[in-house]
mmCIF file of all heavy atoms in Angstrom:
data_model
loop_
_atom_site.group_PDB
_atom_site.id
_atom_site.type_symbol
_atom_site.label_atom_id
_atom_site.label_comp_id
_atom_site.label_asym_id
_atom_site.label_seq_id
_atom_site.Cartn_x
_atom_site.Cartn_y
_atom_site.Cartn_z
ATOM 1 N N PHE A 289 -107.433 -27.062 41.345
ATOM 2 C CA PHE A 289 -106.678 -27.984 40.494
ATOM 3 C C PHE A 289 -107.625 -28.841 39.647
ATOM 4 O O PHE A 289 -107.375 -29.086 38.467
ATOM 5 C CB PHE A 289 -105.784 -28.886 41.342
ATOM 6 C CG PHE A 289 -104.582 -28.188 41.931
ATOM 7 C CD1 PHE A 289 -104.027 -28.616 43.135
ATOM 8 C CD2 PHE A 289 -103.998 -27.116 41.289
ATOM 9 C CE1 PHE A 289 -102.915 -27.982 43.674
ATOM 10 C CE2 PHE A 289 -102.884 -26.472 41.814
ATOM 11 C CZ PHE A 289 -102.351 -26.907 43.020
ATOM 12 N N LYS A 290 -108.721 -29.306 40.240
ATOM 13 C CA LYS A 290 -109.687 -30.121 39.506
ATOM 14 C C LYS A 290 -110.344 -29.313 38.386
ATOM 15 O O LYS A 290 -110.616 -29.842 37.300
ATOM 16 C CB LYS A 290 -110.749 -30.664 40.462
ATOM 17 C CG LYS A 290 -110.233 -31.729 41.420
ATOM 18 C CD LYS A 290 -111.330 -32.191 42.372
ATOM 19 C CE LYS A 290 -110.806 -33.235 43.350
ATOM 20 N NZ LYS A 290 -111.854 -33.657 44.328
ATOM 21 N N ALA A 291 -110.588 -28.031 38.657
ATOM 22 C CA ALA A 291 -111.178 -27.164 37.634
ATOM 23 C C ALA A 291 -110.213 -26.987 36.466
ATOM 24 O O ALA A 291 -110.616 -27.018 35.295
ATOM 25 C CB ALA A 291 -111.540 -25.815 38.240
ATOM 26 N N LEU A 292 -108.929 -26.815 36.776
ATOM 27 C CA LEU A 292 -107.920 -26.682 35.716
ATOM 28 C C LEU A 292 -107.832 -27.963 34.876
ATOM 29 O O LEU A 292 -107.668 -27.901 33.655
ATOM 30 C CB LEU A 292 -106.555 -26.352 36.322
ATOM 31 C CG LEU A 292 -106.401 -24.941 36.897
ATOM 32 C CD1 LEU A 292 -105.080 -24.804 37.641
ATOM 33 C CD2 LEU A 292 -106.482 -23.897 35.786
ATOM 34 N N GLU A 293 -107.943 -29.102 35.541
ATOM 35 C CA GLU A 293 -107.947 -30.376 34.817
ATOM 36 C C GLU A 293 -109.094 -30.414 33.811
ATOM 37 O O GLU A 293 -108.930 -30.836 32.663
ATOM 38 C CB GLU A 293 -108.107 -31.546 35.795
ATOM 39 C CG GLU A 293 -106.859 -31.943 36.540
ATOM 40 C CD GLU A 293 -107.064 -33.187 37.378
ATOM 41 O OE1 GLU A 293 -108.100 -33.252 38.085
ATOM 42 O OE2 GLU A 293 -106.230 -34.099 37.323
ATOM 43 N N LYS A 294 -110.261 -29.950 34.256
ATOM 44 C CA LYS A 294 -111.456 -29.972 33.410
ATOM 45 C C LYS A 294 -111.337 -29.003 32.242
ATOM 46 O O LYS A 294 -111.712 -29.312 31.107
ATOM 47 C CB LYS A 294 -112.685 -29.634 34.248
ATOM 48 C CG LYS A 294 -113.999 -29.742 33.514
ATOM 49 C CD LYS A 294 -115.167 -29.442 34.443
ATOM 50 C CE LYS A 294 -116.495 -29.548 33.693
ATOM 51 N NZ LYS A 294 -117.644 -29.221 34.583
ATOM 52 N N VAL A 295 -110.803 -27.807 32.511
ATOM 53 C CA VAL A 295 -110.704 -26.772 31.472
ATOM 54 C C VAL A 295 -109.741 -27.190 30.366
ATOM 55 O O VAL A 295 -110.019 -26.980 29.176
ATOM 56 C CB VAL A 295 -110.255 -25.430 32.088
ATOM 57 C CG1 VAL A 295 -109.897 -24.423 30.995
ATOM 58 C CG2 VAL A 295 -111.356 -24.868 32.976
ATOM 59 N N TYR A 296 -108.610 -27.790 30.738
ATOM 60 C CA TYR A 296 -107.570 -28.101 29.752
ATOM 61 C C TYR A 296 -107.506 -29.580 29.364
ATOM 62 O O TYR A 296 -106.752 -29.942 28.463
ATOM 63 C CB TYR A 296 -106.205 -27.663 30.278
ATOM 64 C CG TYR A 296 -106.061 -26.162 30.356
ATOM 65 C CD1 TYR A 296 -106.337 -25.478 31.533
ATOM 66 C CD2 TYR A 296 -105.678 -25.420 29.250
ATOM 67 C CE1 TYR A 296 -106.224 -24.087 31.620
ATOM 68 C CE2 TYR A 296 -105.557 -24.037 29.311
ATOM 69 C CZ TYR A 296 -105.834 -23.385 30.496
ATOM 70 O OH TYR A 296 -105.728 -22.017 30.566
ATOM 71 N N GLY A 297 -108.273 -30.431 30.047
ATOM 72 C CA GLY A 297 -108.217 -31.849 29.740
ATOM 73 C C GLY A 297 -106.879 -32.472 30.058
ATOM 74 O O GLY A 297 -106.472 -33.459 29.446
ATOM 75 N N VAL A 298 -106.177 -31.897 31.030
ATOM 76 C CA VAL A 298 -104.836 -32.346 31.407
ATOM 77 C C VAL A 298 -104.869 -32.934 32.813
ATOM 78 O O VAL A 298 -105.486 -32.360 33.714
ATOM 79 C CB VAL A 298 -103.840 -31.168 31.367
ATOM 80 C CG1 VAL A 298 -102.483 -31.579 31.926
ATOM 81 C CG2 VAL A 298 -103.694 -30.657 29.940
ATOM 82 N N GLU A 299 -104.225 -34.070 33.009
ATOM 83 C CA GLU A 299 -104.177 -34.686 34.335
ATOM 84 C C GLU A 299 -103.228 -33.908 35.243
ATOM 85 O O GLU A 299 -102.079 -33.647 34.891
ATOM 86 C CB GLU A 299 -103.705 -36.134 34.226
ATOM 87 C CG GLU A 299 -103.617 -36.833 35.592
ATOM 88 C CD GLU A 299 -103.041 -38.227 35.515
ATOM 89 O OE1 GLU A 299 -102.781 -38.703 34.382
ATOM 90 O OE2 GLU A 299 -102.842 -38.839 36.577
ATOM 91 N N ILE A 300 -103.732 -33.533 36.432
ATOM 92 C CA ILE A 300 -102.904 -32.872 37.451
ATOM 93 C C ILE A 300 -102.873 -33.777 38.673
ATOM 94 O O ILE A 300 -103.897 -34.041 39.298
ATOM 95 C CB ILE A 300 -103.462 -31.487 37.822
ATOM 96 C CG1 ILE A 300 -103.528 -30.594 36.575
ATOM 97 C CG2 ILE A 300 -102.597 -30.832 38.903
ATOM 98 C CD1 ILE A 300 -104.093 -29.214 36.834
ATOM 99 N N GLU A 301 -101.699 -34.245 38.996
ATOM 100 C CA GLU A 301 -101.528 -35.175 40.111
ATOM 101 C C GLU A 301 -101.150 -34.405 41.368
ATOM 102 O O GLU A 301 -100.178 -33.657 41.387
ATOM 103 C CB GLU A 301 -100.442 -36.193 39.751
ATOM 104 C CG GLU A 301 -100.237 -37.297 40.778
ATOM 105 C CD GLU A 301 -99.172 -38.276 40.335
ATOM 106 O OE1 GLU A 301 -99.326 -38.867 39.242
ATOM 107 O OE2 GLU A 301 -98.171 -38.442 41.059
ATOM 108 N N PHE A 302 -101.929 -34.581 42.444
ATOM 109 C CA PHE A 302 -101.657 -33.870 43.692
ATOM 110 C C PHE A 302 -102.265 -34.633 44.859
ATOM 111 O O PHE A 302 -103.114 -35.512 44.687
ATOM 112 C CB PHE A 302 -102.236 -32.445 43.639
ATOM 113 C CG PHE A 302 -103.730 -32.394 43.462
ATOM 114 C CD1 PHE A 302 -104.580 -32.270 44.561
ATOM 115 C CD2 PHE A 302 -104.286 -32.477 42.194
ATOM 116 C CE1 PHE A 302 -105.953 -32.237 44.391
ATOM 117 C CE2 PHE A 302 -105.662 -32.436 42.021
ATOM 118 C CZ PHE A 302 -106.500 -32.312 43.116
ATOM 119 N N ASP A 303 -101.821 -34.290 46.081
ATOM 120 C CA ASP A 303 -102.333 -34.895 47.305
ATOM 121 C C ASP A 303 -103.592 -34.128 47.717
ATOM 122 O O ASP A 303 -103.503 -33.015 48.238
ATOM 123 C CB ASP A 303 -101.269 -34.831 48.406
ATOM 124 C CG ASP A 303 -101.671 -35.597 49.649
ATOM 125 O OD1 ASP A 303 -102.863 -35.599 50.003
ATOM 126 O OD2 ASP A 303 -100.777 -36.196 50.295
ATOM 127 N N GLU A 304 -104.746 -34.720 47.475
ATOM 128 C CA GLU A 304 -106.006 -34.011 47.726
ATOM 129 C C GLU A 304 -106.175 -33.675 49.200
ATOM 130 O O GLU A 304 -106.631 -32.576 49.554
ATOM 131 C CB GLU A 304 -107.187 -34.848 47.239
ATOM 132 C CG GLU A 304 -108.506 -34.119 47.350
ATOM 133 C CD GLU A 304 -109.610 -34.821 46.585
ATOM 134 O OE1 GLU A 304 -109.331 -35.837 45.915
ATOM 135 O OE2 GLU A 304 -110.761 -34.348 46.669
ATOM 136 N N ASP A 305 -105.842 -34.579 50.107
ATOM 137 C CA ASP A 305 -105.982 -34.317 51.541
ATOM 138 C C ASP A 305 -105.095 -33.158 51.981
ATOM 139 O O ASP A 305 -105.511 -32.290 52.754
ATOM 140 C CB ASP A 305 -105.633 -35.575 52.348
ATOM 141 C CG ASP A 305 -106.645 -36.696 52.140
ATOM 142 O OD1 ASP A 305 -107.808 -36.372 51.805
ATOM 143 O OD2 ASP A 305 -106.271 -37.871 52.282
ATOM 144 N N LEU A 306 -103.865 -33.136 51.466
ATOM 145 C CA LEU A 306 -102.911 -32.107 51.866
ATOM 146 C C LEU A 306 -103.346 -30.724 51.392
ATOM 147 O O LEU A 306 -103.305 -29.749 52.149
ATOM 148 C CB LEU A 306 -101.522 -32.441 51.298
ATOM 149 C CG LEU A 306 -100.390 -31.459 51.634
ATOM 150 C CD1 LEU A 306 -100.140 -31.420 53.140
ATOM 151 C CD2 LEU A 306 -99.126 -31.849 50.885
ATOM 152 N N PHE A 307 -103.799 -30.630 50.164
ATOM 153 C CA PHE A 307 -104.108 -29.323 49.603
ATOM 154 C C PHE A 307 -105.564 -28.887 49.787
ATOM 155 O O PHE A 307 -105.923 -27.785 49.390
ATOM 156 C CB PHE A 307 -103.723 -29.294 48.125
ATOM 157 C CG PHE A 307 -102.242 -29.404 47.904
ATOM 158 C CD1 PHE A 307 -101.693 -30.527 47.313
ATOM 159 C CD2 PHE A 307 -101.389 -28.381 48.324
ATOM 160 C CE1 PHE A 307 -100.331 -30.638 47.128
ATOM 161 C CE2 PHE A 307 -100.021 -28.484 48.131
ATOM 162 C CZ PHE A 307 -99.485 -29.614 47.535
ATOM 163 N N SER A 308 -106.371 -29.733 50.379
ATOM 164 C CA SER A 308 -107.748 -29.319 50.681
ATOM 165 C C SER A 308 -107.772 -28.255 51.764
ATOM 166 O O SER A 308 -108.731 -27.481 51.874
ATOM 167 C CB SER A 308 -108.579 -30.534 51.122
ATOM 168 O OG SER A 308 -108.775 -31.420 50.048
ATOM 169 N N SER A 309 -106.740 -28.208 52.594
ATOM 170 C CA SER A 309 -106.686 -27.217 53.675
ATOM 171 C C SER A 309 -106.182 -25.856 53.192
ATOM 172 O O SER A 309 -106.243 -24.869 53.914
ATOM 173 C CB SER A 309 -105.786 -27.731 54.808
ATOM 174 O OG SER A 309 -104.480 -27.973 54.326
ATOM 175 N N CYS A 310 -105.650 -25.813 51.958
ATOM 176 C CA CYS A 310 -105.192 -24.550 51.375
ATOM 177 C C CYS A 310 -106.368 -23.889 50.654
ATOM 178 O O CYS A 310 -107.051 -24.534 49.863
ATOM 179 C CB CYS A 310 -104.074 -24.797 50.364
ATOM 180 S SG CYS A 310 -102.631 -25.637 51.041
ATOM 181 N N ARG A 311 -106.589 -22.596 50.914
ATOM 182 C CA ARG A 311 -107.732 -21.917 50.302
ATOM 183 C C ARG A 311 -107.277 -20.649 49.581
ATOM 184 O O ARG A 311 -106.407 -19.925 50.061
ATOM 185 C CB ARG A 311 -108.777 -21.580 51.368
ATOM 186 C CG ARG A 311 -109.419 -22.836 51.973
ATOM 187 C CD ARG A 311 -110.460 -22.504 53.027
ATOM 188 N NE ARG A 311 -111.087 -23.716 53.523
ATOM 189 C CZ ARG A 311 -112.149 -24.288 52.975
ATOM 190 N NH1 ARG A 311 -112.710 -23.731 51.910
ATOM 191 N NH2 ARG A 311 -112.657 -25.395 53.480
ATOM 192 N N LEU A 312 -107.892 -20.427 48.421
ATOM 193 C CA LEU A 312 -107.544 -19.267 47.614
ATOM 194 C C LEU A 312 -108.786 -18.644 46.992
ATOM 195 O O LEU A 312 -109.801 -19.314 46.798
ATOM 196 C CB LEU A 312 -106.599 -19.671 46.475
ATOM 197 C CG LEU A 312 -105.124 -19.928 46.810
ATOM 198 C CD1 LEU A 312 -104.407 -20.349 45.535
ATOM 199 C CD2 LEU A 312 -104.473 -18.695 47.398
ATOM 200 N N THR A 313 -108.669 -17.373 46.656
ATOM 201 C CA THR A 313 -109.687 -16.675 45.875
ATOM 202 C C THR A 313 -109.077 -16.374 44.510
ATOM 203 O O THR A 313 -108.051 -15.693 44.424
ATOM 204 C CB THR A 313 -110.116 -15.368 46.554
ATOM 205 O OG1 THR A 313 -110.724 -15.667 47.818
ATOM 206 C CG2 THR A 313 -111.104 -14.603 45.675
ATOM 207 N N THR A 314 -109.690 -16.908 43.457
ATOM 208 C CA THR A 314 -109.117 -16.734 42.118
ATOM 209 C C THR A 314 -110.171 -16.995 41.056
ATOM 210 O O THR A 314 -111.297 -17.410 41.359
ATOM 211 C CB THR A 314 -107.922 -17.691 41.904
ATOM 212 O OG1 THR A 314 -107.269 -17.371 40.679
ATOM 213 C CG2 THR A 314 -108.371 -19.124 41.870
ATOM 214 N N VAL A 315 -109.817 -16.749 39.811
ATOM 215 C CA VAL A 315 -110.660 -17.094 38.667
ATOM 216 C C VAL A 315 -109.826 -17.956 37.727
ATOM 217 O O VAL A 315 -108.592 -17.943 37.784
ATOM 218 C CB VAL A 315 -111.160 -15.835 37.913
ATOM 219 C CG1 VAL A 315 -112.064 -15.008 38.801
ATOM 220 C CG2 VAL A 315 -109.981 -15.002 37.407
ATOM 221 N N ILE A 316 -110.518 -18.711 36.874
ATOM 222 C CA ILE A 316 -109.825 -19.564 35.915
ATOM 223 C C ILE A 316 -109.756 -18.853 34.574
ATOM 224 O O ILE A 316 -110.741 -18.317 34.078
ATOM 225 C CB ILE A 316 -110.557 -20.910 35.747
ATOM 226 C CG1 ILE A 316 -110.597 -21.655 37.090
ATOM 227 C CG2 ILE A 316 -109.877 -21.757 34.682
ATOM 228 C CD1 ILE A 316 -109.248 -22.029 37.627
ATOM 229 N N SER A 317 -108.565 -18.845 33.993
ATOM 230 C CA SER A 317 -108.369 -18.219 32.695
ATOM 231 C C SER A 317 -108.360 -19.288 31.616
ATOM 232 O O SER A 317 -107.937 -20.424 31.856
ATOM 233 C CB SER A 317 -107.037 -17.456 32.672
ATOM 234 O OG SER A 317 -106.723 -17.049 31.376
ATOM 235 N N LYS A 318 -108.831 -18.928 30.414
ATOM 236 C CA LYS A 318 -108.840 -19.885 29.314
ATOM 237 C C LYS A 318 -107.489 -19.956 28.605
ATOM 238 O O LYS A 318 -107.310 -20.774 27.723
ATOM 239 C CB LYS A 318 -109.935 -19.533 28.302
ATOM 240 C CG LYS A 318 -109.707 -18.227 27.572
ATOM 241 C CD LYS A 318 -110.835 -17.947 26.604
ATOM 242 C CE LYS A 318 -110.594 -16.651 25.857
ATOM 243 N NZ LYS A 318 -109.394 -16.711 25.022
ATOM 244 N N ASP A 319 -106.583 -19.079 28.966
ATOM 245 C CA ASP A 319 -105.270 -19.056 28.338
ATOM 246 C C ASP A 319 -104.181 -19.235 29.384
ATOM 247 O O ASP A 319 -104.350 -18.874 30.550
ATOM 248 C CB ASP A 319 -105.046 -17.727 27.597
ATOM 249 C CG ASP A 319 -106.003 -17.545 26.444
ATOM 250 O OD1 ASP A 319 -106.205 -18.521 25.699
ATOM 251 O OD2 ASP A 319 -106.557 -16.449 26.293
ATOM 252 N N ASP A 320 -103.052 -19.799 28.954
ATOM 253 C CA ASP A 320 -101.850 -19.880 29.772
ATOM 254 C C ASP A 320 -102.043 -20.711 31.039
ATOM 255 O O ASP A 320 -102.072 -20.189 32.150
ATOM 256 C CB ASP A 320 -101.366 -18.471 30.127
ATOM 257 C CG ASP A 320 -99.940 -18.491 30.671
ATOM 258 O OD1 ASP A 320 -99.294 -19.548 30.608
ATOM 259 O OD2 ASP A 320 -99.491 -17.445 31.172
ATOM 260 N N LEU A 321 -102.169 -22.015 30.875
ATOM 261 C CA LEU A 321 -102.291 -22.937 32.005
ATOM 262 C C LEU A 321 -101.083 -22.845 32.925
ATOM 263 O O LEU A 321 -101.218 -22.759 34.148
ATOM 264 C CB LEU A 321 -102.430 -24.373 31.488
ATOM 265 C CG LEU A 321 -102.261 -25.498 32.522
ATOM 266 C CD1 LEU A 321 -103.328 -25.405 33.602
ATOM 267 C CD2 LEU A 321 -102.285 -26.856 31.835
ATOM 268 N N TYR A 322 -99.890 -22.848 32.339
ATOM 269 C CA TYR A 322 -98.684 -22.851 33.163
ATOM 270 C C TYR A 322 -98.519 -21.530 33.916
ATOM 271 O O TYR A 322 -98.030 -21.510 35.054
ATOM 272 C CB TYR A 322 -97.458 -23.128 32.288
ATOM 273 C CG TYR A 322 -97.526 -24.466 31.584
ATOM 274 C CD1 TYR A 322 -97.233 -24.592 30.229
ATOM 275 C CD2 TYR A 322 -97.905 -25.620 32.278
ATOM 276 C CE1 TYR A 322 -97.307 -25.817 29.576
ATOM 277 C CE2 TYR A 322 -97.987 -26.848 31.638
ATOM 278 C CZ TYR A 322 -97.688 -26.931 30.284
ATOM 279 O OH TYR A 322 -97.771 -28.144 29.654
ATOM 280 N N GLY A 323 -98.937 -20.433 33.302
ATOM 281 C CA GLY A 323 -98.888 -19.151 34.005
ATOM 282 C C GLY A 323 -99.796 -19.141 35.215
ATOM 283 O O GLY A 323 -99.443 -18.620 36.276
ATOM 284 N N ARG A 324 -100.990 -19.740 35.085
ATOM 285 C CA ARG A 324 -101.927 -19.832 36.209
ATOM 286 C C ARG A 324 -101.353 -20.703 37.316
ATOM 287 O O ARG A 324 -101.453 -20.377 38.499
ATOM 288 C CB ARG A 324 -103.253 -20.391 35.700
ATOM 289 C CG ARG A 324 -104.339 -20.537 36.754
ATOM 290 C CD ARG A 324 -104.738 -19.237 37.370
ATOM 291 N NE ARG A 324 -105.054 -18.214 36.377
ATOM 292 C CZ ARG A 324 -105.451 -16.989 36.687
ATOM 293 N NH1 ARG A 324 -105.554 -16.631 37.955
ATOM 294 N NH2 ARG A 324 -105.706 -16.115 35.738
ATOM 295 N N LEU A 325 -100.719 -21.811 36.944
ATOM 296 C CA LEU A 325 -100.104 -22.683 37.946
ATOM 297 C C LEU A 325 -98.943 -21.986 38.651
ATOM 298 O O LEU A 325 -98.741 -22.172 39.863
ATOM 299 C CB LEU A 325 -99.614 -23.973 37.293
ATOM 300 C CG LEU A 325 -100.684 -25.005 36.929
ATOM 301 C CD1 LEU A 325 -100.076 -26.137 36.120
ATOM 302 C CD2 LEU A 325 -101.354 -25.555 38.178
ATOM 303 N N ASP A 326 -98.184 -21.192 37.915
ATOM 304 C CA ASP A 326 -97.075 -20.440 38.513
ATOM 305 C C ASP A 326 -97.591 -19.543 39.635
ATOM 306 O O ASP A 326 -96.986 -19.458 40.714
ATOM 307 C CB ASP A 326 -96.372 -19.584 37.457
ATOM 308 C CG ASP A 326 -95.516 -20.411 36.509
ATOM 309 O OD1 ASP A 326 -95.122 -21.530 36.894
ATOM 310 O OD2 ASP A 326 -95.265 -19.940 35.385
ATOM 311 N N ILE A 327 -98.703 -18.860 39.373
ATOM 312 C CA ILE A 327 -99.267 -17.940 40.373
ATOM 313 C C ILE A 327 -99.747 -18.702 41.597
ATOM 314 O O ILE A 327 -99.435 -18.337 42.741
ATOM 315 C CB ILE A 327 -100.429 -17.134 39.753
ATOM 316 C CG1 ILE A 327 -99.893 -16.209 38.658
ATOM 317 C CG2 ILE A 327 -101.157 -16.333 40.829
ATOM 318 C CD1 ILE A 327 -100.982 -15.515 37.869
ATOM 319 N N ILE A 328 -100.502 -19.772 41.381
ATOM 320 C CA ILE A 328 -101.048 -20.551 42.501
ATOM 321 C C ILE A 328 -99.927 -21.127 43.351
ATOM 322 O O ILE A 328 -99.942 -21.025 44.587
ATOM 323 C CB ILE A 328 -101.960 -21.676 41.976
ATOM 324 C CG1 ILE A 328 -103.209 -21.086 41.317
ATOM 325 C CG2 ILE A 328 -102.360 -22.620 43.116
ATOM 326 C CD1 ILE A 328 -104.080 -22.120 40.623
ATOM 327 N N CYS A 329 -98.940 -21.719 42.696
ATOM 328 C CA CYS A 329 -97.849 -22.353 43.442
ATOM 329 C C CYS A 329 -97.015 -21.315 44.199
ATOM 330 O O CYS A 329 -96.551 -21.573 45.320
ATOM 331 C CB CYS A 329 -96.966 -23.153 42.496
ATOM 332 S SG CYS A 329 -97.767 -24.626 41.826
ATOM 333 N N SER A 330 -96.828 -20.154 43.617
ATOM 334 C CA SER A 330 -96.070 -19.093 44.274
ATOM 335 C C SER A 330 -96.773 -18.603 45.532
ATOM 336 O O SER A 330 -96.137 -18.372 46.567
ATOM 337 C CB SER A 330 -95.849 -17.931 43.302
ATOM 338 O OG SER A 330 -95.208 -16.855 43.931
ATOM 339 N N VAL A 331 -98.096 -18.473 45.460
ATOM 340 C CA VAL A 331 -98.869 -17.956 46.591
ATOM 341 C C VAL A 331 -98.836 -18.903 47.773
ATOM 342 O O VAL A 331 -98.685 -18.474 48.924
ATOM 343 C CB VAL A 331 -100.328 -17.687 46.158
ATOM 344 C CG1 VAL A 331 -101.205 -17.410 47.377
ATOM 345 C CG2 VAL A 331 -100.378 -16.513 45.188
ATOM 346 N N ILE A 332 -98.962 -20.201 47.524
ATOM 347 C CA ILE A 332 -99.055 -21.146 48.648
ATOM 348 C C ILE A 332 -97.746 -21.895 48.906
ATOM 349 O O ILE A 332 -97.690 -22.777 49.774
ATOM 350 C CB ILE A 332 -100.197 -22.154 48.432
ATOM 351 C CG1 ILE A 332 -99.951 -22.996 47.175
ATOM 352 C CG2 ILE A 332 -101.529 -21.433 48.329
ATOM 353 C CD1 ILE A 332 -101.047 -24.040 46.947
ATOM 354 N N GLY A 333 -96.684 -21.543 48.187
ATOM 355 C CA GLY A 333 -95.373 -22.095 48.492
ATOM 356 C C GLY A 333 -95.165 -23.538 48.085
ATOM 357 O O GLY A 333 -94.543 -24.309 48.829
ATOM 358 N N ILE A 334 -95.660 -23.914 46.896
ATOM 359 C CA ILE A 334 -95.449 -25.279 46.406
ATOM 360 C C ILE A 334 -94.856 -25.194 44.993
ATOM 361 O O ILE A 334 -94.550 -24.107 44.513
ATOM 362 C CB ILE A 334 -96.758 -26.089 46.384
ATOM 363 C CG1 ILE A 334 -97.804 -25.392 45.482
ATOM 364 C CG2 ILE A 334 -97.308 -26.255 47.794
ATOM 365 C CD1 ILE A 334 -99.093 -26.180 45.324
#
Side-chain angles (χ1 to χ4, degrees):
F289 287 151
K290 290 178 181 178
L292 289 172
E293 281 186 314
K294 185 178 180 181
V295 169
Y296 291 94
V298 173
E299 179 185 355
I300 301 179
E301 185 179 302
F302 61 95
D303 187 324
E304 185 167 356
D305 293 334
L306 180 63
F307 294 112
S308 292
S309 59
C310 302
R311 294 180 177 272
L312 283 178
T313 297
T314 188
V315 296
I316 299 297
S317 170
K318 66 181 181 63
D319 296 316
D320 194 9
L321 167 62
Y322 300 133
R324 180 62 51 179
L325 284 172
D326 286 337
I327 294 172
I328 294 173
C329 291
S330 176
V331 169
I332 62 178
I334 59 176

